[in-house]
Amino acid sequence: MNRVLIAEDEPRIAAFLEKGLRAAGYVTTVVASGVDAAGYARGADFDLMILDLGLPGQDGLAVLAQLRSRGERLPVIVLTARDAVPDRVTGLDLGADDYLTKPFSFEELLARVRARLRDRGEPAPTTLAAGPVRLDLIRRTASVAGQEVELTAREFVLAETLARHPGQVLSREQLLDRVWGLAHDPGSNVVDVYIGYLRRKLGADLIQTVRGMGYRLAP
Ligand code: CA
């Protein structure tokens, strides 16, 4: 999965990161304090954290130290306005996987996010298949019986989420959470709308509705 936790207290930078990452198909959650960063980074909800060092309350280095002392292996890319060598060295010593100095280009950040998600532990699959549908996770493209089909970034993440759990029912809440991020309105019908888009593009029989429970990819 491609869930990114953004810990950044400057609203303008947080919005810039969130907008760009979402457009690239990532699911994002923004937190603006060190305490929230440490709390949200607990467990397996995210695949990567972008961590600003200058956070209110508890700074990014303290968050990182706390994370690594708990044994959390979550990849962390540190953002710092301070180009000071000691900060970078301390960050890397504390277990940061990479760092970027502000100002940075979004393309560079994206390249580093991709690289960090690529080198995680076990080799990740590069394609997922379900019946005639194939999802290319590197190029972020979909095909049906060898014919490429155009999906939006969000549609792709939804298809990917279902394809990663073949035959398993995922509830609307789970899909909202995994595809649209935690803060989304649970009363929304956006999941049903997007399931409709995917059925139109990938085939009507691909995704089954399990009444009262959710959706699953046809086994
Ligand atoms: Ca800051």
Side-chain angles (χ1 to χ4, degrees), residues 37-158:
Y40 275 72
R42 189 184 291 274
D45 283 347
F46 294 96
D47 302 300
L48 181 129
M49 172 157 65
I50 296 171
L51 177 64
D52 180 32
L53 285 192
L55 289 174
Q58 187 182 25
D59 79 6
L61 290 176
V63 171
L64 190 57
Q66 199 185 328
L67 210 65
R68 293 304 183 230
S69 74
R70 296 202 295 251
E72 302 270 7
R73 286 304 314 141
L74 180 70
V76 174
I77 299 176
V78 156
L79 292 185
T80 175
R82 307 174 253 179
D83 193 20
V85 174
D87 267 352
R88 262 185 278 155
V89 173
T90 310
L92 293 170
D93 277 350
L94 285 174
D97 299 274
D98 206 346
Y99 69 89
L100 271 175
T101 303
K102 294 175 188 174
F104 52 86
S105 77
F106 187 76
E107 284 64 34
E108 184 177 8
L109 174 79
L110 204 54
R112 289 180 188 228
V113 167
R114 276 199 216 100
R116 292 286 80 82
L117 289 173
R118 251 198 320 270
D119 19 86
R120 301 183 66 199
E122 73 288 359
T126 57
T127 58
L128 292 172
V133 175
R134 275 185 96 74
L135 301 176
D136 181 327
L137 300 178
I138 305 294
R139 292 169 53 237
R140 316 286 299 166
T141 56
S143 62
V144 179
Q147 291 280 8
E148 198 155 306
V149 175
E150 203 159 315
L151 296 187
T152 65
R154 192 68 61 190
E155 288 166 355
F156 189 90
V157 177
L158 178 59

Side-chain angles (χ1 to χ4, degrees), residues 8-10 52 54 102:
E8 169 60 77
D9 61 315
E10 285 171 58
D52 180 32
K102 294 175 188 174

